[in-house]
Amino acid sequence: MSSLVQRARNLTKPSAWVLEPEPSTFAPGSTWSNKDMDPVPPHKRTWSTWNYIAYWISDATNVAVWELASSMLAIGLSWRQALPAIAVGHIIISIVMVLNGTIGARLHIPFPVLNRSSFGFWFSYFSVISRVVLSMFWFGIQTYTGSEAVTQMIKAIWPSYGHLPNHLSPGANITTQGMVSYFIYWLIQFPLMMVSPQRIRWLFVAKAAIVPAAWIAMLIWAFVKVPAGSAGGLLSQHTELSGSSLAWAWLSALNSALGIYSTLAVNIPDFTRYAKDERAQYVQLIIIPVAFTLVGFIGLGVTSAGILLYGQVLWDPLLLINQWDNRAAAFFASCTFMLATLGTNISANSLSAGNDISVLFPKYLNIRRGQVICAFVGGWVLCPWEILASATGFLSFMNGYTVFLGPFAGIMVTDYWLVHHCKVDVPAMYNPHGRYRYIGGFNWRAVLAILVSVPPNLPGLISSINTKIKVGGGVYLFDIAWLLGFTLASVVYYVSSTLFPARETYMDEAKIDVDESLSAEDEKSMQGQFSDAEKAEKPLGGVVMASAHPVH
């Protein structure tokens, strides 16, 4: 008993949570890196083209994508406007995804480290923390959606579960039954979050094989019940909007399509760093728009049928399944939605948050510990059922999501491809006193780009949160938040970097392999900024990686 008490006491000490130092640590001292932040060694670069195809089919079969498409019907668009908005949005996102994904596939480093080259060592933490918060919100939303699937599955087996007494207030936006289902799903999901990024790809393969087939079966059911060309069918439906109202509603839908995966467009290097080669991830240009448009069409088709069958726009597919009398069909359909949310939540949200959190306290937190934090904060603290209370609220959240992510993506793409022409220094990204320190750890060009690109969208964001606040034409800018933010940030960053270049960051060729020799200036700068203990721990300024795992 005394030994257990002593162990419990030890856990309260910070030293008990310090990660074991790795011989491959790529930074001056364990304070700045751990093995999860280091470049991926060759033997762990296992993702092939087929893995990325499976990954995106898995991510496209996502309840949020279904809800995005069907909620467009709820705001007055028809399928004729909604489907092109989804297609165009994901074509744009796929281009940005490949541009940023290629960087990860070449350098094999995660987004939080890569971002230091454009934002500056310390200012990069602003984008990382923003990404952590957004990932946690998405994690909670997907967990709530998964809990709805659990509710339908349990009801299909024990119908009495549907009559579980509610002991929560009506204003809570969740019932006792919903809270029980939420907790069950959270428990199912939690162990899967402990699987490593290298092995989790097999979950995507399984999901890509099972879920699309089930959802296509639901589309066939919808067209059998309500033929597309019949009165009230999908093809016969038209929008009642016209003129500028229709134009701005379409742009808002486009922005929502951009927003739903704009987060991954920023941190896609977290996944492409595991690619066998950079060509393996080029397939994203094709698979993303095709897969997401197909799922959008399924969502539109099934939701349109639900309008005629049940007399209401059931933009949440699990509410539609709740109308079914066939318990076996309800169970298996709900099971596919649960599997869909598991794969998406782990890949797009939990792993992303884990990567970002690990960079905040690399001495104590790795990806797995970051995922645990995400599970509790994103799963419970942020109350996702409040966000999903209505279709309008869901689209407002999607739009608000893009205010920062568009500028982040624009700065990253512009810096690597247009400003530095792919010539970057990977070891320096791990060095707080290296060439990417800029001025005090801040690249003022990135700061300027954020200050110019974000404020125009803030009035519209405020109005979407509180509709009583009138902001005039600012509402329309918010309807194109991602495109406006991406374009403004890219232009401002490029112009300021061209007129006032940070010459210390320019190189004749890229420095990717840590075994490459450092210039005398680099070595002097690095040796002069660290303590004797750090110098002893890391020869040559702390950028030596185990030669057994060279980075090419």
Side-chain angles (χ1 to χ4, degrees), residues 30 41 49 52 57 61 102 123 203 212 237 251 274 278 311 357 401:
S30 60
T49 296
Y52 285 102
I57 293 176
T61 48
T102 300
F123 188 50
L203 175 64
Q237 295 176 8
L251 287 173
Y274 298 105
E278 68 178 76
I357 291 172
Y401 203 58

Side-chain angles (χ1 to χ4, degrees), residues 474-494:
V475 174
Y476 299 122
L477 291 180
F478 186 60
D479 286 335
I480 54 172
W482 191 92
L483 288 173
L484 181 63
F486 182 92
T487 303
L488 281 177
S490 299
V491 171
V492 170
Y493 186 82
Y494 180 78

